Amino acid sequence: MNDLKETMDRMEAGIEESQNIYSVRNILSFFFFSLIGVFMFFIPIELNGKNSIPLDHLVTWIRNTIPTVVSYYILVIMVLGAAYPFYSGSWRKSKIDIMLSVLKVLGAAAAVLVLFEVGPKWLLAEDMGPYYFSIVLTPIGVLVPIGSIFLALLVGYGLLEFIGILMQPVMRPVWKTPGRSAIDAVASFVGSYSIGLLITNRIYKEGKYSRREATIIATGFSTVSATFMVVVAKTLDLMEIWNLYFWLTFLVTFIVTAITVRMWPISKIRDDYYTGEGSPEKVIREKRIQHAWQQSMLTAQNAPSLFTNVLSTLKDGVLMAMSILPSVMAIGLLGLILANHTPVFDYLAYLFLPLTWALQIPEPFLAAKAAMINLVDMFLPSLMVVEASLHTRFIVASISISTILFFSALIPCILSTDIPIKMREILALWLIRTVLSLIIVTPLAFLFL
């Protein structure tokens, strides 16, 4: 009799809980906060002649309104970022951490010299220190912390779970990632790889991505934004065929990712979780929309207060900016020195020359060198082929995006997350992605141009 009563009590509690999750508060939280997040990250609007997402407009407005304050803020973040590994003791965790910690100190020192315009001429040259400080560091340094505020709204109140369940039939079979990773992919293309990585890192730390899934997303989806693709297209005079360039590059990027997830090193990475057991996404096979709505309401029900949620994500954003900026400065400058003042990449280009020659790219050595130098920075290859043929320009512009991994920004960003990716895995993935990108995009370029 007691057992029957307990069973009835549990059933009544379950019914009551099920009814509670569909409260007006949860529904309003889901729609209001999620729509603000979607608007800030995914809805391009035109302001002052520039078409971009509202988050980018906000960052641009802040940079233009208080440029001096922003410059000194970037410097403070870099100095704190250089000191943090020694304060926390993380600098001695591994050889890579030791090397990165030293590079962060050098990067912060270089930033001080650039900002105060003292130091060697090569550092202060317009295409060296000042270029990296204003074009690379400043946008990342402002975008990541501010983006983290709106990120709390985007992923904290049920939208991630709702989209995740709807996208399962696509994401899992093709890319072997949870449905919720679709948000990461879109965030990178319309916003920034740094925002995509911020999302990935947060979800990985919450135990909703396994190590392998987080690696796939970080190295396969976190490409530069569509707005930066416009810069590449303008530089290489491809704006007349912008739609062809954008959609073919988009297609090639995700085809390459679909292939690499089935190859070493990703295929050998374990599916363990940051939190131990983790909270893997439940595979739904029927009543998909109903389950998606239920999960989104459960998340909204269990979400922390707005202040706590934003503060937690903002802290992650500031720490990521601290970790990224000094690394980017040091590694980017080192890469530019090697690219502009040494013949290193002329020799390394022979690694890809047999492939570019076999693919009959019009300027095979130039294309091979551009593919090699793409490891340093995704914009440098475009500057190398400005005078090349249309086919070479198109191919180089496309692989600059689809290879994803480069040392001047993205690789330090990945190493700054909590995702345990080894450097040899990153380099192997870069090589594989470069080869696959060349093989896939070259015939498409000859077919459509």
Side-chain angles (χ1 to χ4, degrees):
M1 196 69 180
N2 288 336
D3 290 342
L4 178 61
K5 186 177 183 303
E6 288 176 8
T7 302
M8 293 294 293
D9 289 342
R10 282 198 298 268
M11 290 176 63
E12 288 176 5
I15 292 169
E16 185 178 346
E17 182 181 354
S18 177
Q19 291 171 343
N20 285 341
I21 66 170
Y22 299 107
S23 66
V24 173
R25 171 190 171 276
N26 292 346
I27 293 172
L28 288 178
S29 295
F30 171 77
F31 280 107
F32 181 71
F33 294 128
S34 298
L35 286 174
I36 292 175
V38 168
F39 174 72
M40 294 301 295
F41 282 100
F42 300 124
I43 309 298
I45 58 174
E46 187 164 336
L47 283 177
N48 301 320
K50 178 183 178 183
N51 190 278
S52 188
I53 58 173
L55 179 60
D56 185 40
H57 286 304
L58 178 59
V59 169
T60 301
W61 178 79
I62 291 171
R63 291 177 60 194
N64 293 338
T65 305
I66 47 173
T68 304
V69 173
V70 168
S71 295
Y72 283 105
Y73 151 77
I74 295 294
L75 185 62
V76 169
I77 287 288
M78 291 184 71
V79 172
L80 291 175
Y84 188 75
F86 300 97
Y87 168 76
S88 64
S90 62
W91 68 275
R92 59 169 86 94
K93 282 167 56 179
S94 67
K95 291 179 181 178
I96 290 291
D97 285 296
I98 293 172
M99 183 181 71
L100 282 175
S101 298
V102 172
L103 285 173
K104 286 176 182 179
V105 173
L106 295 176
V112 171
L113 296 177
V114 168
L115 187 60
F116 292 104
E117 298 182 352
V118 294
K121 287 185 178 180
W122 66 263
L123 177 63
L124 300 179
E126 199 60 37
D127 61 345
M128 292 291 287
Y131 165 79
Y132 258 90
F133 194 93
S134 61
I135 303 300
V136 179
L137 299 185
T138 303
I140 294 176
V142 179
L143 180 64
V144 170
I146 292 178
S148 68
I149 295 172
F150 297 101
L151 175 63
L153 307 182
L154 182 70
V155 304
Y157 295 92
L159 181 66
L160 190 70
E161 286 70 22
F162 187 82
I163 297 295
I165 291 175
L166 295 184
M167 290 299 295
Q168 277 182 5
V170 178
M171 302 305 293
R172 285 195 174 277
V174 180
W175 293 287
K176 297 183 180 293
T177 59
R180 55 173 70 107
S181 62
I183 286 185
D184 285 25
V186 176
S188 295
F189 251 96
V190 303
S192 162
Y193 56 81
S194 55
I195 290 297
L197 283 172
L198 191 65
I199 295 172
T200 306
N201 194 50
R202 170 170 171 160
I203 298 171
Y204 171 67
K205 289 174 67 177
E206 290 175 352
K208 295 177 181 178
Y209 288 155
S210 70
R211 179 187 165 192
R212 183 190 297 174
E213 291 166 349
T215 301
I216 292 169
I217 295 159
T219 61
F221 296 155
S222 301
T223 187
V224 296
S225 66
T227 53
F228 205 88
M229 289 177 68
V230 172
V231 175
V232 172
K234 284 182 177 178
T235 302
L236 295 180
D237 197 21
L238 299 175
M239 286 307 293
E240 290 185 4
I241 52 171
W242 162 252
N243 277 317
L244 177 65
Y245 167 60
F246 177 84
W247 290 110
L248 274 186
T249 301
F250 184 92
L251 178 67
V252 169
T253 300
F254 289 103
I255 289 175
V256 170
T257 300
I259 296 171
T260 57
V261 301
R262 292 162 171 82
M263 298 174 61
W264 179 89
I266 288 179
S267 63
K268 298 300 181 184
I269 295 175
R270 289 184 297 175
D271 259 325
D272 49 7
Y273 288 85
Y274 182 85
T275 55
E277 293 184 3
S279 304
E281 189 176 72
K282 183 182 177 183
V283 178
I284 304 299
R285 305 191 186 281
E286 56 183 18
K287 297 182 179 178
R288 191 170 298 279
I289 294 178
Q290 181 180 328
H291 278 96
W293 181 241
Q294 183 184 43
Q295 286 302 310
S296 65
M297 290 297 98
L298 278 170
T299 302
Q301 173 87 352
N302 297 322
S305 69
L306 178 62
F307 179 78
T308 302
N309 198 6
V310 169
L311 190 64
S312 173
T313 313
L314 179 60
K315 179 184 175 183
D316 287 343
V318 171
L319 287 174
M320 181 173 278
M322 285 168 52
S323 183
I324 291 170
L325 296 185
S327 303
V328 166
M329 186 70 169
I331 295 172
L333 286 176
L334 180 61
L336 283 177
I337 292 169
L338 291 175
N340 296 334
H341 301 286
T342 73
V344 168
F345 288 98
D346 288 317
Y347 297 127
L348 292 175
Y350 287 97
L351 175 67
F352 292 118
L353 184 58
L355 178 60
T356 56
W357 175 82
L359 291 169
Q360 298 184 10
I361 297 174
E363 293 95 343
F365 183 79
L366 192 61
K369 185 178 179 181
M372 191 69 228
I373 212 167
N374 193 45
L375 178 61
V376 175
D377 182 81
M378 63 75 54
F379 191 58
L380 285 178
S382 300
L383 299 178
M384 291 179 52
V385 298
V386 171
E387 303 296 329
S389 66
L390 175 61
H391 288 97
T392 301
R393 281 183 281 129
F394 188 93
I395 291 165
V396 169
S398 184
I399 67 169
S400 296
I401 310 302
S402 62
T403 52
I404 292 183
L405 300 159
F406 56 97
F407 269 110
S408 66
L410 184 66
I411 292 175
C413 288
I414 292 174
L415 295 174
S416 300
T417 68
D418 295 280
I419 306 166
I421 307 177
K422 295 181 174 66
M423 181 59 72
R424 66 174 179 269
E425 294 170 342
I426 290 175
L427 293 175
L429 283 167
W430 167 79
L431 179 62
I432 293 167
R433 293 191 70 91
T434 302
V435 170
L436 290 174
S437 295
L438 283 167
I439 291 172
I440 296 170
V441 78
T442 301
L444 291 174
F446 283 114
L447 178 65
F448 290 104
L449 293 178

